Amino acid sequence: MTLVVIGPVTNDLVVIGRESSNKVGGATYFQSFVFEKFYNDYLAIVNCSNPDLISDFPEKQKVKLILKDDTHFFINEYPDEQNRDYRVQLSNFAQIPILKSDLEKILPEKIDAFVLNPLNRYDFPPETIDYLKSFDVPIFMSIQGFLRIPGDELNENYGIKLSNFDELSDILEGITSIFLDEREANIIGECSDVDEVIITNGSHGSRIISKDCETKIDAVKCEDIKDSTGCGDTYMAAYIAKRLNNSSIKDCGDFASKIASEKLKRFGHY
């Protein structure tokens, strides 16, 4: 049985204060390092136009590439080095959807669960999500990408705005758990179609809303922050790894907070 993690791999520019660096990114990329350590039986399925981006994954044999004609590009800028909760983002909003026909050729025979990581609204068409739901296994989803729409254009890239849309309720119906931050939670409002809603809030911790209760998770303090890009993706993967091993919501949240704090101490991935 295999955990299948699906979403774009990206070519990113990270700007912290006056320092900048080019890095591989994308939620599936950051999560693969967590799963490699804590849930070894996984398969990462990514889409992009540059096969060289795969070489940075922890285990290339566990990555399958859907070759497209473009690659997601993000600029992640942290103007205040002392406040990594504040980020300015730009993106090229690549339109390279992952199609049912792409996945039919490469999915393993037996699947434990899916992790879906859209980076914009084009990545997972409704037909693809319906196809994955038909496997009748848990589906964990980051919904940030579904809310992103292009804002002002700057140097051929676009600022990122967040907006709800009517089709989101159909997408979320039957999803096991969704991951988002407080700003995104305010945009979509109450979500009763999923079993768990995991809401992160940077250095202020996180909260997990299930059908029974709300569980608050304290952030694990990090005194020496190096790089916060991918921290939310790391939290998500750590939570899922624990949840699939039947740990309690509180234990999963505490573990995810700890691993996310460890990520903050490192440039790049966990």
Side-chain angles (χ1 to χ4, degrees), residues 147-167:
L147 303 180
R148 286 172 170 161
I149 59 173
D152 296 332
E153 185 176 4
L154 178 64
N155 297 328
E156 299 182 351
N157 295 299
Y158 298 87
I160 294 175
K161 294 183 178 181
L162 300 179
S163 175
N164 203 348
F165 64 111
D166 293 339
E167 294 81 1

Side-chain angles (χ1 to χ4, degrees), residues 100-146:
K100 175 185 175 182
S101 57
D102 294 326
L103 296 172
E104 286 175 326
K105 311 167 188 175
I106 56 179
L107 286 177
E109 290 186 6
K110 296 183 178 180
I111 297 168
D112 279 323
F114 289 110
V115 179
L116 307 186
N117 295 306
L119 298 184
N120 67 33
R121 206 170 287 183
Y122 307 115
D123 286 332
F124 286 87
E127 296 80 7
T128 300
I129 294 175
D130 288 342
Y131 170 61
L132 297 176
K133 287 178 180 178
S134 72
F135 285 80
D136 197 26
V137 298
I139 298 178
F140 303 90
M141 180 186 290
S142 168
I143 71 163
Q144 182 182 67
F146 285 125

Side-chain angles (χ1 to χ4, degrees), residues 176-194:
T176 305
S177 302
I178 61 171
F179 295 76
L180 65 169
D181 65 22
E182 287 286 357
R183 181 185 175 194
E184 294 150 5
N186 288 333
I187 289 173
I188 71 169
E190 183 179 351
C191 183
S192 59
D193 293 326
V194 298

